[in-house]
């Protein structure tokens, strides 16, 4: 694992500031793909980052700035982190770690510019995309840059296709870390939309404009996502995470354009299934999670009987009590409503019964 060398370094020297810092960063990125994982890892990230600051005296300006910028980020002090990562990139524009974290600041900042009616989200998604794209351009196999980038692309598509937007709050005296949920007192909903660049549009204004141009722009962004996915899988052809991410992005795209041309939906589902099979084939010891992952892709591709058989086999091996979230939809679509409902309730998943379109 990426964290192993830093753990070993701290065993040899418990005052090694950069080892604490890199371990905090590695722990953050290991958990960043899941809200639940990030929430669980948050306290450890905070402890490691605090120790890095504690022992940072004597570091170079660059190393000290990295340590303090990440500490501000994990505290939820996004304005300070934004300024510090900006200074690092001004000094060294090809600093991949600073690029990744500068993009992460914009990805996580959930506050408005002001509390008044003119307030808009502070997050600059144009800056985030540029930072993540530059990071993966400099290091195409650096998988950390892809996840948040594709999440932004999905957010743009969801807004354009009317599938939901985020909520934001006027900044208060209390910082909220990336793994905490803010107590929103006066939440306002804003959607990221693509025109000449990404802009914030109040959710209440979305129905009063023509969404066709927004969808065209979101489609263009999606095509760019696919090109980047193809690049990632080409450079990291033996990495299951690259193929799994590609499958997820294609499947999410299919869900967004559910009423699109049937042949296009079939093509997306087929490409997602191909990528998913590659991911599982590359996984050293595939388990029940992988089986339900494939069953969901088969379901989307119209292979209901195969998906149902795979789901039954996976459920028999893992048991209902340990079945993952992905099992609920697969089992529901194959008529096993009782187990599906219980798994959905246990994993806090809101279950939608959508026939063969359930993924």
């Amino acid at each position: 694992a990426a964290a192993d060398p830093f753990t070993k370094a701290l065993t040899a020297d418990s005052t090694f500031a950069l080892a604490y810092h890199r371990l905090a960063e590695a722990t953050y990125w290991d958990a960043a793909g899941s809200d639940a994982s990030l929430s669980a890892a948050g306290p450890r990230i905070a402890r490691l980052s605090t120790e890095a600051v504690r022992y940072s005296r004597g570091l170079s300006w660059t190393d000290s700035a990295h340590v303090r910028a990440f500490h501000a980020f994990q505290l939820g002090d996004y304005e300070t982190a934004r300024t510090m990562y900006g200074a690092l990139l001004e000094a060294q524009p090809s600093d991949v770690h600073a690029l990744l974290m500068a993009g992460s600041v914009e990805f996580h900042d959930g506050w408005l510019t002001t509390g008044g009616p003119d307030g808009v989200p502070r997050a600059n998604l144009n800056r985030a995309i540029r930072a993540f794209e530059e990071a993966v351009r400099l290091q195409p196999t650096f998988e950390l840059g892809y996840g948040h980038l594709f999440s932004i692309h999905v957010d743009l598509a969801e807004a354009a296709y009317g599938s939901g937007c985020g909520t934001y709050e006027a900044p208060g005296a209390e910082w909220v870390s990336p793994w905490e949920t803010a107590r929103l007192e006066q939440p306002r909903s804003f959607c990221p939309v693509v025109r000449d660049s990404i802009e914030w549009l109040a959710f209440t204004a979305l129905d009063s404009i023509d969404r066709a141009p927004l969808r065209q722009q979101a489609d263009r962004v999606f095509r760019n996502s696919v090109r980047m996915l193809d690049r990632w899988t080409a450079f990291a052809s033996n990495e299951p995470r690259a193929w799994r991410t590609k499958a997820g992005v294609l499947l999410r795209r299919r869900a967004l354009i559910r009423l699109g041309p049937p042949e296009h939906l079939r093509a997306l589902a087929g490409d997602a299934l191909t990528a998913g099979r590659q991911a599982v084939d590359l996984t050293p010891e595939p388990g029940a999670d992988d089986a339900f992952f494939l069953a969901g892709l088969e379901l989307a591709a119209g292979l209901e009987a195969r998906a149902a058989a795979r789901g039954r086999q996976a459920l028999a091996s893992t048991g209902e009590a340990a079945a993952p979230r992905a099992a609920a939809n697969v089992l529901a679509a194959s008529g096993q409503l009782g187990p599906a409902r219980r798994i959905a309730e246990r994993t806090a998943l809101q279950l939608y019964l959508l026939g063969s379109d359930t993924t």
Side-chain angles (χ1 to χ4, degrees), residues 13 17 97 129 135 142 151 155 165 171 179 183 192 200 224 259 276-277 308 340 344 351 356:
D13 180 0
H97 287 279
I129 286 177
F142 207 31
S151 293
D155 288 346
C165 301
W179 46 84
R183 296 186 296 273
W200 290 107
N224 188 51
L259 300 179
R277 285 172 173 162
L351 182 63
S356 62

Side-chain angles (χ1 to χ4, degrees), residues 29 107 125 128-129 132-133 136 140 142-158 218 221-233 241-250 252-253 256:
W29 284 109
F107 182 82
L125 297 186
I129 286 177
F132 290 135
E133 287 183 344
V136 299
F142 207 31
E143 65 184 31
L144 305 180
Y146 292 96
H148 286 345
L149 178 61
F150 296 142
S151 293
I152 293 172
H153 290 178
V154 168
D155 288 346
L156 294 171
E158 287 185 338
V221 171
F222 170 73
R223 289 192 295 271
N224 188 51
S225 284
V226 173
R227 284 194 293 270
M228 296 192 71
L229 282 165
D230 289 341
R231 185 183 182 201
W232 187 14
T233 52
R241 184 171 178 177
W243 293 100
R244 188 179 291 267
T245 301
K246 182 173 184 176
V249 169
L250 293 172
R252 186 64 188 140
R253 171 67 175 177
L256 286 170

Side-chain angles (χ1 to χ4, degrees), residues 46-278:
R47 287 194 300 272
L48 291 167
S49 181
T50 300
E51 289 296 281
V53 172
R54 177 184 178 189
Y55 296 114
S56 63
R57 180 176 297 181
L59 293 178
S60 67
W61 176 86
T62 298
D63 289 340
S64 178
H66 268 288
V67 167
R68 294 181 183 281
F70 184 81
H71 190 252
F73 167 78
Q74 63 85 27
L75 284 173
D77 183 3
Y78 298 119
E79 290 284 63
T80 296
R82 182 179 284 116
T83 299
M84 296 187 74
Y85 283 119
L88 281 162
L89 290 170
E90 186 174 349
Q92 180 51 268
S94 61
D95 185 334
V96 175
H97 287 279
L99 285 166
L100 288 170
M101 291 311 306
S104 296
V105 168
E106 306 303 337
F107 182 82
H108 281 289
D109 191 344
W111 301 105
L112 298 170
T113 52
T114 71
D118 296 330
V120 295
R122 292 189 314 200
N124 187 328
L125 297 186
N126 297 294
R127 186 182 299 155
I129 286 177
R130 286 195 298 270
F132 290 135
E133 287 183 344
E134 180 65 4
V136 299
R137 186 190 70 79
L138 291 167
Q139 293 192 30
T141 60
F142 207 31
E143 65 184 31
L144 305 180
Y146 292 96
H148 286 345
L149 178 61
F150 296 142
S151 293
I152 293 172
H153 290 178
V154 168
D155 288 346
L156 294 171
E158 287 185 338
Y161 282 88
S163 295
C165 301
T167 53
Y168 299 82
E169 174 71 280
E174 181 181 342
W175 292 327
V176 180
S177 68
W179 46 84
E180 294 177 324
T181 301
R183 296 186 296 273
L184 301 181
E185 298 177 2
Q186 295 181 316
R188 296 173 59 193
S189 184
F190 283 85
C191 310
V193 298
V194 189
R195 288 171 171 158
D196 293 334
S197 61
I198 300 175
E199 305 172 10
W200 290 107
L201 187 68
F203 177 73
T204 53
L206 201 58
D207 288 335
S208 63
I209 64 172
D210 181 8
R211 291 199 192 183
L214 303 184
R215 289 172 181 167
Q216 290 174 358
Q217 292 284 25
D219 292 347
R220 178 182 60 79
V221 171
F222 170 73
R223 289 192 295 271
N224 188 51
S225 284
V226 173
R227 284 194 293 270
M228 296 192 71
L229 282 165
D230 289 341
R231 185 183 182 201
W232 187 14
T233 52
F235 276 97
S237 58
N238 293 322
E239 292 294 330
R241 184 171 178 177
W243 293 100
R244 188 179 291 267
T245 301
K246 182 173 184 176
V249 169
L250 293 172
L251 204 60
R252 186 64 188 140
R253 171 67 175 177
R254 179 182 175 276
L256 286 170
I257 59 169
R258 189 178 301 280
L259 300 179
E263 62 275 10
H264 185 40
L265 297 178
R266 284 194 297 270
L268 286 170
D271 290 346
L273 179 56
T274 298
R277 285 172 173 162
Q278 183 75 356

